[in-house]
Amino acid sequence: MSKVAIVTGAGQGIGFAIAERLHKDGFKVGILDYNEETAQAAVAKLSSDTAFAVVADVSKQDQVNAAFDKVVEHFGDLHVVVNNAGVAPTTPLDTITPEQFERAFAINVGGVIWGSQAAHRHFKTLGHGGKIINATSQAGCVGNPNLTVYGGTKFAVRGITQTLAKDLAQDNITVNAYAPGIVKTPMMYDIAHKVGKNAGKDDEWGMQTFAKDITLKRLSEPEDVANAVSFLAGADSNYITGQTIVVDGGMVFH
């Protein structure tokens, strides 16, 4: 019997690459996204039989609960939840607004909490353990310029991951995180554009402020991140919990 996964923010970028990889690994996948059009397009690329689109704003507890309920009702089970959805505002200190702060924490941190809460509820009801996998970032392992708010949310996710690993172990649930580096996604190109613009430089300069420190000397493809999530979602990682796997080509070393 195939397993079931939910991936949030799976309509594009890293989220879609993760959904695509888990689908290839044999999972039935719930594609959760706030954008119905991209969610449905993702399902069309995968399979209408083994992928299912649900729409939710991950910052809203009730919407996350309702979306998870729909996926579990549709596929009849749930084994892996990837709390991937996020936003990445570029925030030099003097420009930070309450709205930016509240939105980023509501989505990036709230989304992880509500997704983990819904996952735990379903795992218990279904009578088995499971895996919760959270998106942090290279910027959640070391401070990055201009990313006070985003980095703050991603440091928080690492802490939440460690806490939940301890809290949920008794229910046979592992909780881990993945920390992407500089990935070729619309979100990253937007950050590079804004950082360059803030410095009076071009997009390439903005990208290089981050990319110059990559040991492997190439930007990440979304698939690089999906490969690590595939490992965390599979049986080979059963004895790993509370950890953050950094997938950044060698920017942050532990």
Side-chain angles (χ1 to χ4, degrees):
M1 169 152 170
S2 61
K3 292 194 164 183
V4 178
I6 290 175
V7 183
T8 73
Q12 65 172 13
I14 294 171
F16 177 71
I18 290 168
E20 188 174 42
R21 175 57 195 266
L22 294 183
H23 188 258
K24 195 172 114 185
D25 290 346
F27 281 87
K28 293 175 178 173
V29 184
I31 304 281
L32 190 154
D33 205 278
Y34 73 98
N35 182 326
E36 182 162 18
E37 197 177 327
T38 57
Q40 295 291 357
V43 167
K45 286 179 202 159
L46 299 179
S47 157
S48 56
D49 292 333
T50 49
F52 178 65
V54 282
V55 178
D57 173 348
V58 297
S59 70
K60 305 282 192 273
Q61 183 191 35
D62 57 337
Q63 290 189 30
V64 171
N65 278 328
F68 273 55
D69 290 349
K70 283 179 190 164
V71 174
V72 174
E73 189 181 335
H74 184 78
F75 287 131
D77 216 336
L78 182 63
H79 304 89
V80 171
V81 169
V82 184
N83 292 309
N84 169 79
V87 292
T90 303
T91 51
L93 178 62
D94 298 341
T95 70
I96 299 169
T97 64
E99 290 74 24
Q100 275 178 327
F101 165 77
E102 286 159 16
R103 179 170 183 264
F105 272 84
I107 294 170
N108 295 4
V109 180
V112 166
I113 291 172
W114 306 137
S116 298
Q117 195 179 66
H120 186 217
R121 174 168 62 85
H122 281 291
F123 293 156
K124 283 196 296 187
T125 302
L126 292 161
H128 58 65
K131 290 169 179 275
I132 295 172
I133 306 168
N134 300 323
T136 177
S137 168
Q138 176 266 343
C141 299
V142 63
N144 279 353
N146 289 309
L147 296 181
T148 298
V149 173
Y150 178 70
T153 67
K154 294 304 184 176
F155 269 92
V157 169
R158 279 176 61 216
I160 290 164
T161 298
Q162 293 179 16
T163 304
L164 294 182
K166 293 191 172 181
D167 286 346
L168 304 185
Q170 64 189 16
D171 295 325
N172 195 27
I173 296 166
T174 61
V175 188
N176 291 293
Y178 55 100
I182 315 305
V183 190
K184 295 180 191 172
T185 63
M187 180 190 280
M188 190 61 226
Y189 287 121
D190 184 54
I191 292 175
H193 171 72
K194 285 175 178 159
V195 168
K197 189 176 166 192
N198 290 342
K201 311 273 188 178
D202 61 12
D203 290 11
E204 180 57 27
W205 185 93
M207 188 64 89
Q208 284 306 315
T209 60
F210 300 102
K212 67 182 186 327
D213 298 324
I214 301 173
T215 303
L216 296 182
K217 301 299 178 203
R218 70 172 177 85
L219 298 181
S220 169
E221 302 290 345
E223 290 72 24
D224 294 318
V225 181
N227 292 342
V229 175
S230 169
F231 166 68
L232 290 174
D236 286 349
S237 63
N238 283 354
Y239 196 62
I240 298 174
T241 198
Q243 304 305 312
T244 292
I245 294 189
V246 184
V247 191
D248 67 357
M251 298 173 76
V252 178
F253 290 166
H254 289 303

